[in-house]
């Protein structure tokens, strides 16, 4: 059965023909003939879908619980070891495209390009390079760039564009001047780069809307019960502007929703999938850092924030913004290869999202957001053959996506 990503009825007894990187035909058994000599991959009893996207990952991170330790210890091996490992972990889980939102410029773009050339396995990476913010946190200057004035903001964006990034990422924009923010967005759009912005605090959202960012991230670290009325109204007005592309929002909501589940039942840490590509010493370091999730600063305020999540998710859905699957993969105890499907399961089981729309939020809509929907994101003739298959029907049980036995990327079977 084929779920093609367009949202229509699944196609039973489907046949997909692939030649090289591209899909050449889609039909059904009995009406679409398989060419003589073709390699046949049976998906009997399975559901075939487009390859999944994760629209918010940090491939430079591998789930370690102490940022300061990680940032001081591992910069020299990010490009050689960490990013290739986390990329491969994602791919084998069925994630064929990711949007990396914060990493050293040279390291992430060189790994991206090696994957694109077929030298190493991994998803297609759309990279922002370093965060843009008012001032980098101490010890993070190699992947966070501060700006000082509008001209410096433009210069930093030009440097990112020259480095061949795919988008620009803003963080803590409520600490920047409006002139700096406008300069970042204007310069990025001049280079045809979408701008992604944090939405932890209400003023970040207000300023982002005012300067025309394209996509907001997270469901808010603030402990207010819901988004303020003026923000909800602004989101509705922006979403109603039919002459503009959708306003996208990536909630990354599972990592906060299920913190207490992971805290109380840490068996997920024993899943060896996140060890792939990492030396035993690094695995041991990560494991040790997660001995007590309740002591990690990253999760310190989750008990106060968790009760607000359902309201905010509902407000976002009702506002008309286009929600995307993304996970903050790589942050403490949030492993690449686990996080994407956990996010999808949480949308459906905890927040009542329709399974088909959840799948589209991880396939079709991410491709639209990145401007590549003519090439990828659905299973259609002429598009790149990024495909996965699972046993059973994920529209009835979205959790089936946790076990993906078949992954095809750009026409090549990688699992």
């Amino acid at each position: 059965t084929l779920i093609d990503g367009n949202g229509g009825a699944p196609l039973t007894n489907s046949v997909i023909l692939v030649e090289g990187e591209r899909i050449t035909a889609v039909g059904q058994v009995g009406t679409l003939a398989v060419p003589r000599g073709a390699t046949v991959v049976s998906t009997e009893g399975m559901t075939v879908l487009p390859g999944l996207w994760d629209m918010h990952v940090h491939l430079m991170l591998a789930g370690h619980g102490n940022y300061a330790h990680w940032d001081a210890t591992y910069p020299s091996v990010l490009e050689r070891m960490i990013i290739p490992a986390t990329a491969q972990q994602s791919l084998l889980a069925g994630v064929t495209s990711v949007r990396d939102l914060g990493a050293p410029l040279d390291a992430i773009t060189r790994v991206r390009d090696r994957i694109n050339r077929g030298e190493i396995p991994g998803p297609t990476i759309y990279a922002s390079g370093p965060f843009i913010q008012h001032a980098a946190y101490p010890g993070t200057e190699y992947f966070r760039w501060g700006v000082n004035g509008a001209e410096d903001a433009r210069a930093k964006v030009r440097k990112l564009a020259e480095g061949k990034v795919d988008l620009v990422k803003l963080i803590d924009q409520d600490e920047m001047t409006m002139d700096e923010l406008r300069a970042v967005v204007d310069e990025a759009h001049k280079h045809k780069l979408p701008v992604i912005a944090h939405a932890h605090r209400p003023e970040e959202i207000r300023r982002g809307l005012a300067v025309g960012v394209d996509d907001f991230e997270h469901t808010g670290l603030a402990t207010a019960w819901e988004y303020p009325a003026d923000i909800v109204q602004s989101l509705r007005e922006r979403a109603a502007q039919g002459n503009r592309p959708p306003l996208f929002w990536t909630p990354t909501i599972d990592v906060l929703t299920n913190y207490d589940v992971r805290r109380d039942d840490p068996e997920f840490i024993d899943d060896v999938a996140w060890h792939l590509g990492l030396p035993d010493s690094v695995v041991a370091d990560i494991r040790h850092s997660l001995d007590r999730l309740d002591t990690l600063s990253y999760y310190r305020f989750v008990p106060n924030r968790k009760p607000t999540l359902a309201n905010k998710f509902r407000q976002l859905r009702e506002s008309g913004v286009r929600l995307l699957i993304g996970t903050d993969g790589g942050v403490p105890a949030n492993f690449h290869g686990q996080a994407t499907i956990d996010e999808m399961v949480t949308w459906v089981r905890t927040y009542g999202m329709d399974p088909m729309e959840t799948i589209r939020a991880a396939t079709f809509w991410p491709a639209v957001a990145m401007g590549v929907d003519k090439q990828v994101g659905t299973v259609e003739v002429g598009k790149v053959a990024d495909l996965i298959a699972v046993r059973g029907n994920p529209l009835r049980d979205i959790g089936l996506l946790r076990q993906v036995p078949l992954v095809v990327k750009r026409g090549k079977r990688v699992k």
Side-chain angles (χ1 to χ4, degrees):
T1 300
L2 171 63
I3 297 174
D4 66 10
N6 284 309
L11 182 68
T12 59
N13 297 317
S14 63
V15 177
I16 304 165
L17 302 185
V18 176
E19 186 172 345
E21 294 187 345
R22 301 280 171 170
I23 298 168
T24 58
V26 178
Q28 289 179 292
V29 173
T31 58
L32 177 59
V34 177
R36 183 177 299 174
T39 299
V40 177
V41 178
S42 174
T43 52
E44 194 69 33
M46 303 175 78
T47 300
V48 178
L49 307 92
L52 303 177
W53 289 60
D54 193 318
M55 293 294 275
H56 191 129
V57 304
H58 298 285
L59 295 174
M60 67 169 285
L61 303 175
H64 198 283
N66 186 324
Y67 281 155
H69 171 81
W70 187 266
D71 294 340
T73 305
Y74 293 102
S76 64
V77 297
L78 293 179
E79 180 181 345
R80 174 173 58 84
M81 178 206 303
I82 303 298
I83 298 174
T86 56
Q88 186 177 18
Q89 292 166 18
S90 298
L91 179 63
L92 294 182
V95 180
T96 56
S97 300
V98 299
R99 194 168 64 178
D100 188 277
L101 299 183
L105 179 59
D106 289 342
I108 192 65
T109 55
R110 284 199 285 250
V111 174
R112 176 199 64 189
D113 295 346
R114 289 186 67 200
I115 290 172
N116 287 344
R117 291 193 298 266
E119 296 173 7
I120 57 175
T124 300
I125 297 174
Y126 298 87
S128 72
F131 299 87
I132 296 290
Q133 58 190 115
H134 172 64
Y137 309 153
T140 68
E141 292 82 1
Y142 66 99
F143 65 94
R144 294 177 181 268
W145 291 357
V147 297
N148 183 16
E151 187 47 48
D152 184 45
R154 290 186 181 276
K156 292 287 173 43
V157 173
R158 285 195 294 270
K159 186 174 181 181
L160 289 174
E162 291 165 2
K164 305 298 184 184
V165 299
D166 304 289
L167 60 147
V168 171
K169 168 73 178 297
L170 279 166
I171 181 174
D172 294 342
Q173 61 267 22
D174 52 348
E175 298 176 2
M176 300 169 68
T177 70
M178 291 303 294
D179 285 343
E180 290 169 340
L181 280 175
R182 289 192 185 95
V184 169
V185 175
D186 289 349
E187 192 68 26
H189 287 170
K190 183 188 299 183
H191 290 277
K192 302 189 183 308
L193 298 172
V195 180
I196 316 304
H198 267 203
H200 284 319
R201 298 178 293 276
E203 193 59 25
E204 285 184 303
I205 304 170
R206 294 188 183 101
R207 292 184 174 210
L209 287 168
V211 298
V213 303
D214 304 287
D215 185 334
F216 288 100
E217 305 296 297
H218 307 305
T219 324
L221 292 185
T223 56
W225 191 247
E226 57 187 12
Y227 292 115
D230 67 299
I231 288 178
V232 174
Q233 181 61 28
S234 295
L235 293 179
R236 287 174 174 162
E237 292 172 358
R238 171 64 179 81
Q241 295 176 7
N243 61 333
R244 297 178 66 180
L247 176 64
F248 294 99
W249 199 299
T250 311
T252 69
I253 200 169
D254 173 74
V255 67
L256 299 181
T257 300
N258 286 312
Y259 152 71
D260 53 352
V261 175
R262 298 184 178 100
R263 177 199 63 200
D264 298 338
D265 184 15
E267 281 296 317
F268 73 97
I269 296 175
D270 291 335
D271 184 347
V272 297
W274 66 266
H275 300 185
L276 182 67
L278 299 175
D280 291 345
S281 59
V282 177
V283 170
D285 188 13
I286 295 170
R287 288 183 64 93
H288 178 67
S289 76
L290 302 176
D291 283 344
R292 288 280 305 279
L293 294 188
D294 58 317
T295 66
L296 301 184
S297 59
Y298 184 88
Y299 293 112
R300 184 173 300 156
F301 299 108
V302 169
N304 293 329
R305 293 169 184 150
K306 182 173 178 176
T308 76
L309 298 178
N311 273 344
K312 291 174 180 175
F313 194 78
R314 174 187 53 78
Q315 286 180 299
L316 291 175
R317 291 175 65 183
E318 293 175 352
S319 74
V321 301
R322 180 56 62 186
L323 298 180
L324 304 173
I325 289 291
T327 64
D328 227 359
V331 302
N334 202 31
F335 298 121
H336 303 277
Q338 296 178 356
T340 311
I341 314 307
D342 285 349
E343 182 81 9
M344 297 176 74
V345 170
T346 293
W347 278 30
V348 173
R349 293 183 181 173
T350 303
Y351 298 110
M353 193 74 166
D354 176 73
M356 180 67 85
E357 280 307 302
T358 300
I359 289 169
R360 297 188 81 213
T363 54
F364 172 73
W365 286 114
V368 174
M370 291 310 302
V372 294
D373 50 300
K374 297 280 194 293
Q375 300 296 318
V376 71
T378 56
V379 181
E380 295 182 78
V381 173
K383 291 193 176 182
V384 170
D386 284 358
L387 307 164
I388 65 171
V390 297
R391 293 185 176 88
N393 184 355
L395 296 178
R396 288 202 296 263
D397 181 2
I398 195 75
L400 294 173
L401 288 168
R402 287 197 170 107
Q403 299 293 330
V404 181
L406 175 67
V407 181
V408 174
K409 186 195 171 202
R410 303 195 73 87
K412 293 183 179 180
R413 185 172 181 176
V414 297
K415 183 181 180 183

